[in-house]
Amino acid sequence: AEHHHRVAVEVTLIVNGICEMCGNLYSNGDIVTLDPGEPTSFHAITDVETVVFKTPSVIGDKYEIGDPE
């Protein structure tokens, strides 16, 4: 589901496969960096392997777009 983080920067490495994030296509070796407040969604076009980390790691820092906050 489309979401954002208020505090954390989210970094996604596409290890293998093709996906769509933020309306753009990404594939093997691409790195996507999202700043706090920047909305994102994820749709796998093929089987996809990713590595995702958020910094700082803050429990509960994930907000669905459209949900009351």
Side-chain angles (χ1 to χ4, degrees):
E2 190 173 23
H3 69 278
H4 71 275
H5 304 281
R6 289 184 182 168
V7 178
V9 172
E10 182 176 288
V11 179
T12 302
L13 166 64
I14 310 304
V15 176
N16 189 22
I18 301 170
C19 66
E20 181 180 349
M21 292 179 68
C22 309
N24 298 304
L25 289 179
Y26 296 98
S27 61
N28 303 3
D30 287 339
I31 297 173
V32 183
T33 302
L34 300 168
D35 292 321
E38 191 172 355
T40 186
S41 60
F42 182 90
H43 175 73
I45 306 299
T46 65
D47 288 342
V48 181
E49 295 176 68
T50 63
V51 174
V52 180
F53 72 90
K54 296 183 302 180
T55 185
S57 180
V58 177
I59 294 172
D61 183 38
K62 182 176 181 178
Y63 301 89
E64 302 283 327
I65 302 298
D67 282 352
E69 297 179 31

